[in-house]
Amino acid sequence: MLKIREAVVVEGRYDKNTLSQVVDTLILETRGFGIFKDPERMALLRRAAEKRGLVVLTDSDGAGFVIRSRIKSAIPGKYLKHAYIPDVYGKERRKRQPGKEGKLGVEGMPPQVLEQVLRRAGATFLEEGAPEGERAGLTKADLFAAGLTGRPDSAQRRQALLKELALPEHMTANALLEVLNACYSREEAAHLLGGG
């Protein structure tokens, strides 16, 4: 399994499943066009990009380029790397019919092609055994212990932390937990909770 420093954003869960068999890194989904109306998801992508860099890996069809364009317009280019899969015509095994343009998406690409496009995009490959990845994240119990859930003043405390982290004010506790685990080490996140 190859390890890369940057997080990778893909369109959906099947893309994520395929890519997770090739690389060991944080893989985030746009949930297709859901990214257009999900400020929490965009905030997570932005924070991951600022903390570790973000490789955008969308399908090579028109929809993939629309999603890629949305991400490019919301996140400064200095944090982004773009990986492009080749145009390969066909259909994924799980589908009855090919997509609208008849092209395979990320989920239909063989592992060696995915590795190749990530290398071409300039992803930072880490040596095997490098300390990236296997870390325990925060849990809901940590948020509760920090007073960010389950208490009368939890909403105000969470709002203060969201403001400090420059995240959307309407972000749920679950989304906050996802950002903390994706973008900070356990120690950094615990420090933020202690200061919140």
Side-chain angles (χ1 to χ4, degrees):
M1 175 97 31
L2 301 165
K3 294 181 184 228
I4 62 174
R5 178 185 313 136
E6 295 86 358
V8 180
V9 60
V10 295
E11 292 180 44
R13 72 175 182 261
Y14 294 106
D15 300 332
K16 181 177 180 177
N17 291 343
T18 299
L19 189 60
S20 68
Q21 296 169 33
V22 178
V23 293
D24 178 13
T25 191
L26 172 66
I27 303 172
L28 302 166
E29 302 168 41
T30 66
R31 297 179 182 147
F33 287 121
I35 194 70
F36 285 89
K37 49 187 184 269
D38 189 346
E40 291 179 356
R41 175 89 1 202
M42 188 56 81
L44 173 59
L45 294 180
R46 188 176 299 111
R47 186 52 53 100
E50 290 168 357
K51 281 295 188 179
R52 51 194 295 176
L54 186 67
V55 177
V56 182
L57 179 60
T58 57
D59 294 350
S60 60
D61 60 5
F65 276 87
V66 169
I67 293 166
R68 182 184 298 273
S69 182
R70 172 69 179 110
I71 294 168
K72 281 167 63 173
S73 70
I75 299 173
K78 66 183 178 181
Y79 300 120
L80 298 176
K81 294 179 179 177
H82 293 276
Y84 296 93
I85 61 171
D87 284 343
V88 177
Y89 291 89
K91 73 170 192 65
E92 281 86 5
R93 271 185 260 152
R94 71 177 178 86
K95 295 182 178 176
R96 289 182 171 208
Q97 298 178 57
K100 196 161 137 186
E101 295 180 30
K103 298 176 184 177
L104 291 177
V106 170
E107 73 173 280
M109 292 292 126
Q112 62 273 20
V113 171
L114 292 174
E115 178 185 346
Q116 190 177 54
V117 300
L118 289 169
R119 287 189 187 280
R120 257 198 321 252
T124 309
F125 283 78
L126 304 171
E127 294 178 32
E128 287 302 318
E132 177 62 26
E134 308 309 320
R135 60 184 174 149
L138 296 176
T139 65
K140 289 184 179 181
D142 294 311
L143 292 184
F144 179 79
L148 297 172
T149 61
R151 306 219 173 112
D153 65 341
S154 292
Q156 292 88 345
R157 294 173 63 92
R158 211 168 41 250
Q159 286 299 314
L161 180 59
L162 290 171
K163 187 172 184 173
E164 180 184 330
L165 297 176
L167 294 170
E169 66 178 284
H170 297 295
M171 186 173 264
T172 64
N174 286 342
L176 173 61
L177 187 61
E178 190 176 5
V179 168
L180 291 172
N181 284 329
C183 302
Y184 300 94
S185 69
R186 182 173 173 80
E187 295 74 30
E188 290 171 328
H191 176 74
L192 288 170
L193 294 184

